Amino acid sequence: MLHIVLIPAYKPDNKMTDLARSLFNQGMTVVIVNDGSGAPYNEIFERAELFAHVVRCTRNGGKGAALKTGLAYISDHFAPPYTVTTADADGQHAEEDILRVTRKAETRPDTLVIGSRTINREMPMRNWSGNFFTKIAFLLATGKLMQDTQTGLRGFSDRLVPFMLAVHGRRYEYETSVLLHWARCNRPIEEVSVQTLYFDGNSNSHFHPVRDSLRIYGEILKFSAPMLGCFFLDILIFCVLMALLPWDDRLIAANCAARVVTAALYFVLVRRSMAQYPNTKRLSAVRYAVSEVPLTALNTALVWALMMGKLLPFGAKLLANMAMFFSFFVLQRKFLYVNKRR
C-alpha cells in the first residue's frame, strides 16, 4: 500500500526539507503544499522537490485550504489504496510518530487516527492553555473527550478523503471542524500517544493566538447552534404552555409537547448537516423517535420533582435539561445511527 505524508507549509525553514528527506528515505511519498510563501522561500521548496511532490499556491489561503489543496492533488494523482498522514512543516512531529500514525491508519481504514500530544510543562503556555480550553469546549459540543484536539498529525485511508474535502474551513479552524463533524457523524476516532516537541518556544508557528482562536471557538459555537437553540426552545415552549394551559396537571402535557417539537427540529437540522458528507452514517428516524420516549419520561420526572421542591417552571426545566445534557450524546452515539448504502 502507498503511504503518503501531506505537509502544508507557509514560510518554512530547513526543518521541513530535513523531514521530507527523512520520510522519503523511509519509503514514504511526500506531498508538500507551498501555501503562498513567496519568492524568498523558493529555494527551500526547490530543495524539497528532490524528495517530494510540491504543489504551489499563488497566495496564502490558510492551513485548511492548503490541506484540502493537497488532498485534491492526491486524489487526482494517486490510485487507491493508500493512506494519508498530515504533518506540520515546523518539525513538531517526529519521524517515528508519523510512521506510527501511518501504520495505525493502514490497519483502521474507516478510522481517523490522531497523534495526541501529552499536555505538560514542555508545551509553551499559549499552546497549553489553548489546547486545554478547546478540549473542554469540544467535550461540551460533542460529548466526546479527546486528549489533543489541536494536533496536526492525523492519519486516514483513501476512502475518507472525500469526507475531508467536504468539510468547510480555510485556516486553523478546519482541523477543529473535521473533528466536530467526524464526531457528529459517529465515525470512529483513535488517539495514538506521540511526543511533545517544540523549538524556541514554538516561535516558528504562524498561529495567531487571538484571531485563530476566535475562528476555532466560532466553529465550535456554530456547530453547537442547533443543540443550544433547541435546548432553550424546549424551555421556552414548556414555560409558555405552563402559563397558557388551564388545567392543574398540565406539566406532563407541556413538557411532552415541548420535547416533541424541539426533538423533531433537532433531528431535521442535524440530519441535514450530515447529508453533505459522503459515505457517512445517517440518523434513523424510527430509532431517534423511540429513544426520545425514555428521555422525555426522565426529563418530565425531573421537572416534576424539582417543581415539588418549590422551584418555578423555568428553573425546574433548566436544571432538568442541564442534568440530562450528556445523556443525549451517549444515546446518539450508541443507538441512533444506521449504515448508509454506498
Side-chain angles (χ1 to χ4, degrees):
M1 177 181 286
L2 186 65
H3 299 304
I4 302 171
V5 178
L6 172 59
I7 303 176
Y10 177 63
K11 297 183 177 180
D13 56 22
N14 289 323
K15 287 193 289 291
M16 181 197 71
T17 308
D18 294 339
L19 177 62
R21 179 192 300 111
S22 181
L23 292 170
F24 175 80
N25 291 335
Q26 290 286 342
M28 308 288 280
T29 300
V30 183
V31 175
I32 296 173
V33 179
N34 177 0
D35 189 22
S37 300
Y41 296 86
N42 285 345
E43 184 179 348
I44 292 176
F45 286 104
E46 287 169 1
R47 288 201 302 270
E49 284 184 313
L50 296 173
F51 318 104
H53 303 258
V54 177
V55 183
R56 289 177 170 80
C57 301
T58 56
R59 58 192 303 178
N60 176 247
K63 187 177 184 182
L67 285 169
K68 288 193 281 188
T69 296
L71 289 173
Y73 176 88
I74 290 169
S75 181
D76 290 340
H77 290 81
F78 298 98
Y82 56 79
T83 63
V84 179
T85 303
T86 63
D88 294 342
D90 55 8
Q92 284 191 26
H93 302 136
E95 175 191 333
E96 56 267 32
D97 289 331
I98 295 173
L99 296 175
R100 287 177 60 228
V101 169
T102 298
R103 287 192 292 268
K104 182 66 71 172
E106 182 179 10
T107 62
R108 304 283 194 277
D110 292 311
T111 299
L112 176 62
V113 181
I114 301 292
S116 294
R117 301 158 296 180
T118 301
I119 300 178
N120 54 32
R121 293 181 180 179
E122 296 178 19
M123 275 192 173
M125 178 56 68
R126 68 172 185 174
N127 297 85
W128 182 92
S129 59
N131 228 320
F132 175 79
F133 288 114
T134 306
K135 180 168 68 173
I136 298 302
F138 186 85
L139 172 64
L140 294 175
T142 66
K144 183 175 181 63
L145 180 62
M146 292 188 60
Q147 176 67 27
D148 187 358
T149 61
Q150 299 301 294
T151 178
L153 180 55
R154 304 176 179 194
F156 46 92
S157 71
D158 58 271
R159 67 179 68 173
L160 306 182
V161 170
F163 184 100
M164 298 296 186
L165 288 170
V167 177
H168 59 82
R170 296 187 58 81
R171 297 190 179 275
Y172 286 99
E173 78 279 2
Y174 169 76
E175 292 176 311
T176 302
S177 186
V178 166
L179 294 180
L180 289 168
H181 290 282
W182 199 270
R184 168 169 286 177
C185 293
N186 201 34
R187 287 174 174 259
I189 299 175
E190 183 168 345
E191 295 188 86
V192 175
S193 181
V194 299
Q195 302 172 61
T196 304
L197 301 176
Y198 287 96
F199 304 96
D200 300 323
N202 202 26
S203 58
N204 289 334
S205 174
H206 299 287
F207 183 89
H208 192 283
V210 176
R211 182 182 62 238
D212 290 318
S213 293
L214 288 175
R215 287 195 178 103
I216 289 171
Y217 292 121
E219 195 64 34
I220 294 174
L221 184 61
K222 183 169 61 176
F223 174 88
S224 305
M227 175 186 62
L228 293 174
C230 290
F231 180 94
F232 290 109
L233 181 62
D234 183 21
I235 298 172
L236 176 63
I237 294 174
F238 171 76
C239 292
V240 169
L241 291 177
M242 286 293 290
L244 294 180
L245 294 178
W247 53 87
D248 293 335
D249 54 347
R250 58 193 180 276
L251 186 150
I252 294 178
N255 199 55
C256 288
R259 291 284 301 178
V260 167
V261 172
T262 54
L265 177 61
Y266 183 79
F267 176 84
V268 171
L269 293 175
V270 171
R271 195 169 189 180
R272 183 178 299 171
S273 73
M274 290 168 59
Q276 63 181 305
Y277 301 113
N279 300 330
T280 193
K281 294 181 179 181
R282 60 181 173 85
L283 281 167
S284 165
V286 173
R287 297 176 74 178
Y288 184 88
V290 170
S291 71
E292 273 297 315
V293 174
L295 287 176
T296 299
L298 179 58
N299 187 264
T300 303
L302 285 174
V303 174
W304 178 85
L306 290 168
M307 289 185 65
M308 290 299 99
K310 306 304 180 183
L311 279 179
L312 294 175
F314 174 81
K317 180 65 173 171
L318 177 63
L319 290 177
N321 281 13
M322 291 174 64
M324 295 182 60
F325 189 77
F326 286 104
S327 300
F328 177 76
F329 289 119
V330 173
L331 200 68
Q332 189 181 68
R333 289 203 304 271
K334 298 294 183 183
F335 303 112
L336 300 185
Y337 294 88
V338 295
N339 289 324
K340 185 177 181 180
R341 294 181 181 177
R342 297 196 176 190

